[in-house]
């Protein structure tokens, strides 16, 4: 029999009454060294500083009759090692019970006098974590980060600041539930330069939230200037053709105003968009529209394709809005980086349409051409007349 016990802040005072009783009745206590050093009075001296599942199973096999206890910091159900151990105990037929403890999120909420039920909870402790994506997909809710290992409050704040979120309000809880407890308030930019105790957690709040809706924002939502822009209906169709997934890496080649880039960024909040553009005025508009929509996962790449694509990560999907005559070279580059990349090319001129079909078929792809002809009403006196926009071709390619 083994009892898994959440030890809260890792002090005797933060144990539940059930946890305390289980520890005092155990004949063997396992756990991290720092927790074993903080056990309450009345506990056995038969202790082993181990907590990895394989080591725990070996210790139990060596002494199968003992009533053992294994202590974890925080709560056994909140990003705890208990999640990995429990299925293994059941598989070996070892009887076990779980006694929860106070989690770090509870301790922080209590320390600042708030409810935590609406917080988004994320672990950055010993696992990959994208703080920008987590914050931008929180729907305006505060985001709690459990930190540890390589990811500290400072490193997470540094990544937020680098993405343009340096003004985000953050607070850090150090040594929660202990005599050394501290609560620190500031911005992501300020905390990116600080050092914090190894036992720290981070809360990020009051972040600007990108608008979330189906693709096809009104044209008036974007700053345009004199730069050509892909219209609303065509943008919506292009994103449907590209079948954008939340974690995709996306290229927008010939990004113009950045209207498609922004839509791609909002459709892939856990991915990243690279807007490639060589016109200086257009690059300025991309920057402005990026800020306007809080599209922090959008990076402007100034230069002419295909040369400007050389250092970009391999794409999952690519929108090609303009190549200045380099269609074949751009398609070659895309498919060389990812032969299975989803490609959607927009064309107004018949010559561009022909070049796009030729570039795709040269790689053994079946080219599918869709023509979109949009007309919009314009009031004339008491009447409303339909005014036609230029027909647009969308060209995609699939493997035969």
């Amino acid at each position: 029999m083994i009892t898994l016990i959440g030890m809260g802040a890792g002090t005797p005072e933060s144990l539940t009454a059930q946890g305390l009783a289980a520890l005092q009745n155990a004949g063997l206590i396992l756990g991290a060294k720092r927790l074993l050093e903080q056990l309450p009075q009345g506990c056995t001296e038969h202790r082993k500083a181990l907590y990895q599942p394989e080591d725990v199973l070996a210790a139990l096999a060596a002494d199968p009759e003992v009533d053992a206890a294994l202590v974890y910091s925080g709560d056994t159900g909140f990003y705890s090692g208990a999640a990995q151990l429990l299925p293994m105990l059941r598989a070996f037929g070892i009887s076990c019970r779980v006694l929860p403890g106070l989690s770090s999120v509870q301790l922080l909420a209590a320390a600042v006098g708030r409810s935590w039920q609406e917080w988004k909870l994320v672990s950055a402790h010993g696992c990959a974590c994208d703080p920008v994506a987590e914050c931008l997909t929180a729907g305006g809710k505060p985001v709690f980060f459990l930190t540890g290992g390589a990811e500290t409050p400072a490193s997470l704040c540094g990544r937020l600041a680098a993405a343009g979120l340096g003004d985000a309000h953050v607070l850090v809880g150090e040594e929660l539930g202990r005599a050394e407890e501290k609560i620190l308030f500031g911005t992501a930019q300020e905390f990116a330069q600080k050092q914090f105790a190894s036992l720290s957690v981070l809360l990020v709040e009051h972040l600007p939230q990108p608008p979330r809706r189906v693709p096809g924002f009104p044209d008036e939502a974007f700053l345009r200037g004199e730069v050509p822009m892909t219209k609303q209906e065509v943008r919506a169709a292009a994103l449907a053709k590209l079948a954008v997934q939340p974690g995709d890496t996306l290229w927008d080649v010939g990004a113009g105003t950045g209207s498609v880039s922004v839509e791609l960024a909002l459709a892939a909040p856990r991915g990243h968009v690279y807007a490639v553009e060589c016109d200086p005025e257009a690059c300025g508009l991309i920057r402005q529209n990026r800020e306007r929509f809080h599209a922090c996962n959008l990076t402007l790449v100034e230069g002419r394709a295909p040369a400007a694509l050389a250092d970009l990560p391999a794409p999952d999907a690519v929108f090609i809005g303009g190549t200045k005559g380099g269609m074949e070279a751009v398609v070659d580059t895309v498919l060389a980086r990812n032969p299975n990349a989803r490609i959607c090319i927009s064309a107004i001129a018949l010559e561009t349409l022909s070049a796009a079909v030729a570039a795709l078929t040269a790689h053994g792809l079946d080219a599918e051409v869709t023509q979109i002809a949009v007309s919009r009403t314009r009031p004339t006196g008491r009447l409303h007349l339909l005014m036609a926009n230029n027909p647009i071709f969308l060209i995609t390619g699939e493997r035969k």
Side-chain angles (χ1 to χ4, degrees):
M1 172 71 177
I2 182 170
T3 302
L4 310 186
I5 302 171
M7 204 170 165
T11 63
E13 295 78 16
S14 63
L15 277 164
T16 65
Q18 278 186 310
L20 175 61
L23 283 173
Q24 291 175 334
N25 291 324
L28 169 65
I29 301 178
L30 312 174
K33 182 180 178 182
R34 71 174 183 88
L35 296 179
L36 297 182
E37 292 173 347
Q38 295 293 321
L39 291 177
Q41 294 181 351
C43 293
T44 180
E45 292 300 321
H46 187 197
R47 308 173 184 182
K48 293 184 179 181
L50 51 89
Y51 52 88
Q52 295 294 342
E54 295 79 7
D55 297 332
V56 172
L57 292 173
L60 296 177
D63 196 354
E65 301 301 321
V66 71
D67 281 337
L70 171 57
V71 289
Y72 292 101
S73 61
D75 175 39
T76 49
F78 185 64
Y79 296 110
S80 168
Q84 183 181 1
L85 178 61
L86 280 167
M88 300 173 71
L89 292 172
R90 297 187 186 107
F92 281 93
I94 299 173
S95 178
C96 62
R97 64 170 175 161
V98 179
L99 299 178
L102 290 172
S103 67
S104 53
V105 66
Q106 291 172 291
L107 291 169
L108 179 64
V112 296
R114 301 185 195 173
S115 169
W116 59 271
Q117 62 192 22
E118 296 297 327
W119 295 358
K120 179 179 180 180
L121 310 179
V122 179
S123 177
H125 188 284
C127 59
C129 174
D130 182 347
V132 177
E134 297 294 351
C135 289
L136 294 183
T137 57
K141 297 178 180 179
V143 185
F144 172 93
F145 291 93
L146 184 66
T147 67
E151 292 288 17
T152 67
S155 69
L156 296 175
C157 286
R159 290 160 69 183
L160 291 174
L165 298 173
D167 290 335
H169 181 266
V170 300
L171 61 94
V172 171
E174 294 185 321
E175 304 285 356
L176 293 171
R178 307 170 71 90
E180 304 84 1
E181 177 180 285
K182 290 182 182 178
I183 306 296
L184 307 170
F185 298 84
T187 66
Q189 186 69 54
E190 294 167 348
F191 279 14
Q193 312 301 322
K194 292 183 177 292
Q195 290 186 332
F196 300 95
S198 58
L199 297 177
S200 296
V201 296
L202 172 71
L203 185 71
V204 183
E205 52 189 356
H206 306 316
L207 273 172
Q209 292 296 305
R212 299 292 175 201
R213 49 158 286 174
V214 295
F217 279 87
D219 295 341
E220 308 80 53
F222 297 93
L223 299 174
R224 178 176 178 180
E226 299 300 319
V227 176
M229 183 178 74
T230 303
K231 299 297 191 296
Q232 177 184 28
E233 295 83 359
V234 178
R235 271 183 275 116
L239 262 75
K241 296 284 188 182
L242 290 170
V244 177
Q245 300 296 310
D248 276 349
T249 296
L250 304 161
W251 295 357
D252 180 6
V253 181
T257 62
S259 63
V260 173
S261 301
V262 166
E263 298 255 22
L264 291 172
L266 299 180
R270 295 184 178 278
H272 205 90
V273 177
Y274 297 89
V276 182
E277 179 55 60
C278 61
D279 179 73
E281 182 184 356
C283 288
L285 287 170
I286 292 170
R287 292 190 188 94
Q288 292 178 64
N289 283 319
R290 175 187 183 273
E291 296 303 317
R292 190 181 185 95
F293 284 84
H294 305 295
C296 298
N297 57 331
L298 192 167
T299 297
L300 170 63
V301 180
E302 298 188 61
R304 186 166 178 169
L309 307 175
D311 296 327
L312 301 185
D316 295 297
V318 179
F319 179 75
I320 300 176
T323 63
K324 296 190 179 298
M327 182 69 69
E328 180 180 2
V330 170
V331 171
D332 288 348
T333 300
V334 170
L335 294 175
R337 299 295 299 280
N338 180 5
N340 297 312
R342 307 183 298 278
I343 301 175
C344 180
I345 305 167
S346 70
I348 298 178
L350 295 177
E351 290 78 9
T352 307
L353 168 62
S354 177
V357 171
L360 293 172
T361 55
H363 287 271
L365 300 176
D366 278 333
E368 179 185 83
V369 179
T370 302
Q371 185 193 71
I372 301 178
V374 176
S375 295
R376 295 178 179 173
T377 57
R378 187 181 72 181
T380 302
R382 291 182 299 171
L383 303 177
H384 288 78
L385 304 180
L386 281 171
M387 306 301 294
N389 291 331
N390 285 328
I392 303 293
F393 301 99
L394 292 181
I395 307 100
T396 57
E398 292 185 1
R399 291 287 171 196
K400 296 179 180 178

